[in-house]
Amino acid sequence: MNNRKTYTHLPQSDIALQIERLVQVIEDSDSPAYRIKQTRTGYERVEETRLSRYLTHIKQMVDLFDDRVPYDYSEHLQAFREACQGIGLEHGTGGPACLNENGTGYLDHHRSMNVLVARIRQLTGEQWYLRRTHDRRHQARKQEIQVCDYADALCELYSRITIVRVDFHYRAEAQARLRAEHVFDDLDDLIYEHRRNPIFEHLIGHIYSVEQGDHHEGRGYHIHAAYFFNGNEVRGDVYKAIRLGELWEEITRGQGYSHSCNHDKEQYGDECGIGRIKRSDRGIRRHVHKVVKYLVKDAQHLRLRPEGARCLRTGMLR
């Protein structure tokens, strides 16, 4: 067996994605975690399978569910959690392990992982799991319609509006210890500033979406934002984006940074749906729709969030 071990500590966001990938691979295969074979000399040989590499961070995966904060979990994380609880998985010296069928002793780590995989595979075929997957995709389609309708309504309020698109990220050293509830705390602080900070003067609407991506791609937890200003009063969309980035750094105490889509809006050419646009230019609406749909794409949905927290936030129409 190729005995690969790593002691790298991954951020919460990455561990959630690791669990999701493990469950998806289990769902699409019939392989065990390990193949345990008897040799001619009476010894056992453990062989890795295509699933084995997805168990590299199994200790951290189990520890994700520490119940420090009540979370709502995606169907993949819920299946993993229920499987661990169902087989009574516990930490052992050789890695997480569970009791044998008779409850008289612990299986070794490799056999325990085979039991875990079998239980996860069973759960992914159950009705609640299949329904949750369908409901999540249906919710993403509903949110696309919601944000497009919201953007259309805002575009009708004034003869000109100025749209600013900013992504709020966290630096790598902050991502390493960042938890989902911290992101929502920062978002609450950002929304609080709407009422008191001159940056938001002439703001007529906003959309925020809390998402997550792969930490190794520089994503991790992040927030997509779109701001809609009265275009008769606000012309400098790039300046607004700079000020918003400075505010985010202040809120995160230097642990955050931002990316402004408005700085490079020329790259979109005739399909640009940000910056200062006219209400009378109906053709541009489909490009605005493309901008706001990006904020609610299903691929980067949160895999865990504080119980009751809303990942999508929009302003009230006045």
Side-chain angles (χ1 to χ4, degrees):
M1 180 186 69
N2 179 15
N3 188 21
R4 294 175 299 187
K5 288 190 177 180
T6 179
Y7 300 95
T8 305
H9 184 85
L10 294 182
Q12 184 194 58
S13 174
D14 273 13
I15 286 298
L17 293 177
Q18 291 275 329
I19 294 173
E20 178 179 81
R21 289 164 188 155
L22 169 66
V23 174
Q24 288 173 336
V25 172
I26 292 171
E27 189 177 6
D28 295 335
S29 73
D30 57 3
S31 169
Y34 298 94
R35 289 192 177 88
I36 302 170
K37 297 182 177 180
Q38 201 81 17
T39 65
R40 292 178 181 177
T41 56
Y43 291 98
E44 288 184 341
R45 184 175 72 248
V46 177
E47 295 179 353
E48 291 189 346
T49 70
R50 64 186 296 257
L51 287 181
S52 306
R53 66 189 181 94
Y54 293 95
L55 293 163
T56 303
H57 297 279
I58 186 62
K59 182 181 182 300
Q60 255 194 280
M61 292 157 84
V62 174
D63 286 343
L64 179 73
F65 306 94
D66 57 17
D67 293 328
R68 275 191 280 171
V69 174
Y71 288 125
D72 290 324
Y73 297 106
S74 70
E75 68 274 16
H76 302 100
L77 270 64
Q78 189 63 35
F80 180 86
R81 185 189 193 195
E82 288 193 16
C84 291
Q85 292 174 341
I87 67 172
L89 197 67
E90 297 179 12
H91 288 305
T93 54
C98 64
L99 289 169
N100 58 28
E101 288 184 10
N102 300 322
T104 56
Y106 282 93
L107 298 174
D108 62 39
H109 173 66
H110 298 108
R111 284 182 169 83
S112 296
M113 292 301 96
N114 284 346
V115 173
L116 177 64
V117 165
R119 181 58 182 147
I120 291 173
R121 186 170 288 123
Q122 181 183 357
L123 288 169
T124 60
E126 293 186 357
Q127 193 59 42
W128 70 266
Y129 179 90
L130 301 172
R131 186 173 61 250
R132 287 274 298 278
T133 301
H134 174 270
D135 288 349
R136 176 172 51 77
R137 291 169 182 164
H138 179 67
Q139 176 71 7
R141 289 192 293 269
K142 279 180 60 178
Q143 288 183 340
E144 282 190 357
I145 296 170
Q146 177 187 344
V147 293
C148 287
D149 288 347
Y150 180 69
D152 281 342
L154 291 171
C155 288
E156 292 295 329
L157 289 178
Y158 297 93
S159 58
R160 293 178 177 84
I161 65 167
T162 298
I163 302 175
V164 180
R165 259 288 289 120
V166 184
D167 295 329
F168 298 114
H169 297 276
Y170 293 89
R171 303 188 190 283
E173 57 272 21
Q175 284 282 359
R177 56 185 179 277
L178 190 66
R179 292 172 62 92
E181 59 269 24
H182 302 153
V183 184
F184 283 94
D185 288 343
D186 290 339
L187 177 57
D188 288 341
D189 289 344
L190 187 55
I191 292 174
Y192 174 76
E193 292 292 326
H194 288 196
R195 302 192 299 269
R196 59 186 293 273
N197 197 304
I199 295 173
F200 299 104
E201 189 176 3
H202 307 298
L203 182 72
I204 61 173
H206 65 270
I207 303 172
Y208 289 110
S209 180
V210 183
E211 299 189 344
Q212 72 181 108
D214 197 311
H215 174 63
H216 296 294
E217 296 173 1
R219 310 289 290 179
Y221 289 130
H222 58 278
I223 301 170
H224 292 309
Y227 299 95
F228 301 80
F229 293 91
N230 177 355
N232 296 313
E233 301 289 345
V234 176
R235 294 170 179 262
D237 58 310
V238 172
Y239 176 69
K240 280 288 186 187
I242 293 171
R243 295 289 309 282
L244 287 161
E246 292 170 348
L247 176 61
W248 178 246
E249 286 198 41
E250 181 182 325
I251 287 172
T252 60
R253 300 173 185 83
Q255 297 299 301
Y257 69 96
S258 66
H259 169 75
S260 161
C261 298
N262 292 68
H263 277 71
D264 305 314
K265 62 179 182 288
E266 289 77 16
Q267 67 176 310
Y268 303 112
D270 295 336
E271 296 183 358
C272 183
I274 56 177
R276 195 161 176 255
I277 64 175
K278 296 180 180 179
R279 178 173 58 197
S280 58
D281 188 353
R282 299 285 170 174
I284 206 170
R285 294 290 179 89
R286 66 179 183 275
H287 306 314
V288 175
H289 289 171
K290 184 177 180 180
V291 169
V292 296
K293 281 181 180 180
Y294 183 82
L295 273 63
V296 293
K297 60 190 180 303
D298 183 51
Q300 291 192 22
H301 69 277
L302 278 193
R303 278 66 175 184
L304 74 166
R305 56 187 170 87
E307 225 172 51
R310 292 181 297 115
C311 296
L312 177 65
R313 312 273 185 96
T314 62
M316 299 290 290
L317 287 171
R318 298 176 182 175

